Amino acid sequence: MTAAHVTAPGTERIAEAFARAHADGRRAALMPYMMAGYPDVERSREIAAAYVDGGADLIELGIPFSDPLADGPVIHAAAVAALEAGATLHECLTVAAAVAERVPVILMSYINPILARGVERFCDELVATGVCGLIVPDLPREESGLVTAACAARGLALVPLVAPTTPPDRMTEIVAAATGFIYTVAVTGTTGERTGSDGDVPALLARVRGDARVPVALGFGISTPEQASAAAAAGAEGVIVGSRFVRAAGEADAVAIGELVRAFATALR
Amino acid sequence: MSGVPHRFGPYGGQYVPETLMPALAELEQAWVEAAADAQYRHRLDTLLNTYVGRPSPLYRAERLSARVGHDVYLKREDLNHTGAHKINNALGQALLAQRMGKTRIIAETGAGQHGVATATACALLALECVVYMGTEDMRRQRPNVQRMELLGARVVGVDAGARTLKEAVSAAIRDWVTNVRDSHYIIGSCVGPAPYPALVRDLQRVIGDEARAQVLAAAGRLPDRVIACVGGGSNAIGTFTPFTDDAGVALVGVEAAGEGIETGHHGAPLTAGGVGGPAGVLHGSLSAIMQSEDGQILEAHSISAGLDYPGAGPEHAWLRDSGRAEYVAVSDVDALAAFAEVTRLEGIIPALESAHALAWTLAHPEGSGLDLICLSGRGDKDLAEALEKLGR
């Protein structure tokens, strides 16, 4: 499952993916999220390939966790189903390995599975699998020292989240330390499909982009191609779509999921 | 720099989504200010006195003392308004929320005692109240659901996982992530991200402060052992804290062994992990937790809904590792037997949670001249469950 000839550091591969999307005429890079091991490991490998075929520029790969505090009902249920189907960390990494040579894969994991594995060992396994970066939704800046050091030593991006509630001084600190890209949370809330946002997203994005030295992506609540297009228009350099695709993973086959990804990719032209 | 600790040894911290971090900072600041504000303190003390019924009595349990062969004192938190120690924390936090200008209160509940206490405080202070409760616990604790609704709270059933306390806490945190601007989350135990473990401890230490003075007045000496049940551990930390500098006083936390530690069906992460045992992150803090090799949180099991939780407060994990407190566990069967025995001996129906502390004391009569047990709540809520299990 190793991807030995992918030798560039994860942070560089992520930067290249954003630049390539831009050069290809995309207004923003498309980063669909998927739950590893959902509906089962074999089908999630097919879904990852369908994401790439459909035009994903990067993939955010969720590691299932029993108690996902930042996630709404769709992703929570997918995590529970993946665990019930027997998804282990090892098997989840085989999903990453299946596409890691084609697009950058950023792993999304809550902190406890990382601590259970051991931070250093976990990061070693990401590098061995060809994963480019890590998002830990319950690891704020105050608690991130060990993970930051382990990622930095391996060229892995540790992507921070900023939220509409993040005050200006704190935002400046988070943005300054970011590697890979910055994950801007569009809503005050958990993940899930929404018909609108609850605040001034363009102003939030402008605030984040002001100090940023890495691309700024937007996620949470983006569930239609029109919303993805609006996110790009609002200044997002990357668009993350989660619950909509996870729902599709439970309802549709890989071909239909690939078509759905293509609809979002087209909307970002 | 404030006076609220974020860590107890290596345990504690703030492992929460970024959205909540400013709210935790705001809460910490508000608590530091309130704790130093004579007006807040006076309001809380007056309500604890005239509304809750504090100080709660310290009762020398005569027939229980005769049964174990030494003095046993019960700190009667069961006599508080709403029937448990939970009101100490709920009222203190509801007053704090009001002081912060929050208009909506979120709470989780397992046995229903914290939910009832929070709904009560919200009725008193005219605050909107939403309580998350696992649907299995709603079944086990139907009268408490009816109480909360009568008090004006909205009880939201949580159908995820084992449908008990762990899932209720997760649902409450998700609500808070979404409504953080106008809502305050009153967590029911000394768990969760900082500043909650210290905040809840500070509000519950009234138990130990009173008990220490009362036992000195009644017996002219300190106890040899202070014993309390531990789910998340709020009655225990409140009882232990004023005694931690009394080197001769042993502190004993009694967890739920459920069907037996070895079966995996228990609620005893401190006991099962042992001193320096593996730690993990659950609900925002690093502590002793029940988890799989892959870091998935396991389901707890206890006959007592209040102890049916796979984590424990981070300060307890540190008291364990530092050797200041000892953690033990009592099975469902032994807790039920103590529930029945103490009811007959003393004419006091203890909560099934508190029955764990009583059971351990009954089983370990040796080596103590004076025990102080926190009787954290009354057992009326447990009658249906207990009578069924006792086969009556």
Side-chain angles (χ1 to χ4, degrees):
Chain A
M1 66 184 244
T2 55
H5 67 271
V6 179
T7 50
T11 47
E12 282 180 25
R13 291 193 62 208
I14 291 169
E16 285 164 11
F18 275 95
R20 196 179 322 115
H22 185 73
D24 286 354
R26 292 285 172 77
R27 292 179 296 137
L30 177 62
M31 192 177 342
Y33 169 96
M34 61 177 289
M35 176 63 73
Y38 177 75
D40 56 49
V41 172
E42 183 53 43
R43 276 186 284 175
S44 75
R45 274 194 289 262
E46 292 169 17
I47 290 167
Y51 277 15
V52 182
D53 295 340
D57 297 300
L58 308 92
I59 291 177
E60 187 188 341
L61 183 71
I63 299 297
F65 180 54
S66 53
D67 297 78
L69 293 182
D71 284 305
V74 170
I75 292 179
H76 185 187
V80 171
L83 292 172
E84 281 172 357
T88 60
L89 178 59
H90 176 81
E91 292 198 87
C92 291
L93 290 178
T94 68
V95 178
V99 289
E101 291 178 31
R102 300 176 64 193
V103 294
V105 174
I106 294 91
L107 218 67
M108 207 287 303
S109 174
Y110 286 83
I111 186 63
N112 201 52
I114 299 173
L115 294 178
R117 196 65 147 207
V119 171
E120 300 273 329
R121 183 176 162 203
F122 187 92
C123 291
D124 281 341
E125 290 177 5
L126 298 199
V127 172
T129 312
V131 167
C132 291
L134 186 57
I135 302 168
V136 189
D138 57 348
L139 192 72
R141 178 169 166 65
E142 285 75 0
E143 309 294 352
S144 67
L146 278 179
V147 180
T148 301
C151 287
R154 291 164 178 80
L156 287 169
L158 179 61
V159 174
L161 293 99
V162 295
T165 56
T166 306
D169 289 357
R170 184 177 172 82
M171 178 89 77
T172 303
E173 288 173 17
I174 294 172
V175 166
T179 51
F181 62 94
I182 297 160
Y183 192 140
T184 306
V185 175
V187 297
T188 305
T190 53
T191 59
E193 297 172 54
R194 285 173 177 81
T195 50
S197 63
D198 63 348
D200 189 343
V201 170
L204 175 63
L205 284 169
R207 218 155 53 91
V208 182
R209 286 188 66 176
D211 298 321
R213 290 171 303 172
V214 291
V216 175
L218 188 74
F220 280 45
I222 299 171
S223 47
T224 65
E226 294 71 29
Q227 288 171 327
S229 175
E237 295 162 284
V239 175
I240 302 165
V241 182
S243 295
R244 177 67 191 94
F245 288 135
V246 173
R247 182 159 64 85
E251 294 169 349
D253 62 13
V255 175
I257 292 167
E259 286 307 310
L260 187 62
V261 172
R262 195 175 307 285
F264 278 82
T266 304
L268 290 173
R269 291 252 159 228
Chain B
M1 199 59 205
S2 75
V4 180
H6 284 204
R7 294 270 173 182
F8 306 91
Y11 302 112
Q14 296 179 312
Y15 299 90
V16 295
E18 169 64 21
T19 302
L20 289 181
M21 289 302 285
L24 292 176
E26 180 193 8
L27 177 61
E28 181 171 342
Q29 185 61 32
W31 177 236
V32 168
E33 288 170 14
D37 176 1
Q39 251 187 325
Y40 170 84
R41 200 62 245 183
H42 178 72
R43 180 114 200 268
L44 177 57
D45 288 344
T46 302
L47 285 173
L48 288 175
N49 180 233
T50 60
Y51 184 75
V52 173
R54 303 207 70 91
S56 65
L58 184 74
Y59 163 65
R60 182 180 175 280
E62 300 197 2
R63 297 182 65 204
L64 186 56
S65 296
R67 160 80 164 72
V68 300
H70 62 256
D71 282 345
V72 176
Y73 285 83
L74 301 179
K75 179 59 173 165
R76 299 290 307 275
E77 293 298 302
D78 61 315
L79 294 178
N80 290 338
H81 182 42
T82 71
H85 70 291
K86 295 291 188 186
I87 190 77
N88 304 329
N89 168 55
L91 196 55
Q93 285 203 49
L95 282 173
L96 182 62
Q98 197 176 49
R99 203 174 178 279
M100 292 168 74
K102 304 285 183 181
T103 55
R104 180 174 175 274
I105 298 295
I106 308 157
E108 85 295 336
T109 198
Q113 293 305 98
H114 175 60
V116 168
T118 303
T120 298
C122 288
L124 178 69
L125 301 178
L127 294 165
E128 183 186 349
C129 183
V130 180
V131 180
Y132 290 90
M133 189 172 189
T135 49
E136 166 62 11
D137 286 338
M138 288 176 78
R139 183 193 66 75
R140 288 195 279 191
Q141 310 283 348
R142 186 72 205 151
N144 274 342
V145 175
Q146 293 165 326
R147 269 183 207 111
M148 287 185 272
E149 288 175 347
L150 192 61
L151 287 160
R154 187 159 65 88
V155 181
V156 181
V158 182
D159 246 335
R163 306 179 178 90
T164 57
L165 180 55
K166 172 173 80 86
E167 305 300 337
V169 175
S170 294
I173 293 175
R174 289 190 189 99
D175 180 316
W176 199 32
V177 170
T178 307
N179 300 294
V180 64
R181 292 173 207 270
D182 70 346
S183 299
H184 172 64
Y185 173 31
I186 301 187
I187 203 163
S189 192
C190 54
V191 300
Y196 280 111
L199 167 58
V200 175
R201 175 201 63 200
D202 292 351
L203 288 169
Q204 290 293 1
R205 71 168 287 160
V206 65
I207 305 171
D209 283 332
E210 288 175 5
R212 192 175 182 283
Q214 286 167 323
V215 74
L216 285 172
R221 57 164 293 196
L222 290 171
D224 291 325
R225 302 189 298 201
V226 171
I227 303 155
C229 65
V230 177
S234 70
N235 91 87
I237 205 71
T239 311
F240 290 174
T241 295
F243 291 99
T244 49
D245 290 336
D246 298 321
V249 179
L251 306 175
V252 182
V254 186
E255 294 188 295
E259 294 168 3
I261 302 267
E262 70 288 350
T263 66
H265 298 148
H266 61 83
L270 293 160
T271 309
V275 172
V281 170
L282 171 63
H283 296 145
S285 63
L286 180 75
S287 188
I289 62 170
M290 295 167 60
Q291 61 179 324
S292 73
E293 198 183 324
D294 254 2
Q296 306 297 338
I297 312 300
L298 299 175
E299 299 294 349
H301 166 83
S302 170
I303 188 170
S304 145
L307 304 185
D308 200 345
Y309 184 67
E315 192 167 8
H316 283 297
W318 179 234
L319 286 172
R320 177 195 67 182
D321 287 6
S322 65
R324 183 60 193 92
E326 180 192 0
Y327 294 86
V328 296
V330 159
S331 70
D332 287 350
V333 170
D334 291 346
L336 261 178
F339 172 86
E341 183 173 1
V342 171
T343 299
R344 288 292 179 91
L345 277 176
E346 294 291 346
I348 296 169
I349 303 174
L352 279 174
E353 290 80 8
S354 321
H356 286 71
L358 294 163
W360 185 85
T361 310
L362 286 167
H364 297 84
E366 72 291 345
S368 176
L370 198 165
D371 287 339
L372 191 156
I373 306 173
C374 182
L375 192 71
S376 56
R378 68 177 182 224
D380 309 51
K381 68 182 174 62
D382 297 315
L383 278 190
E385 185 82 1
L387 292 181
E388 185 196 321
K389 293 284 189 329
L390 286 165
R392 295 187 188 176

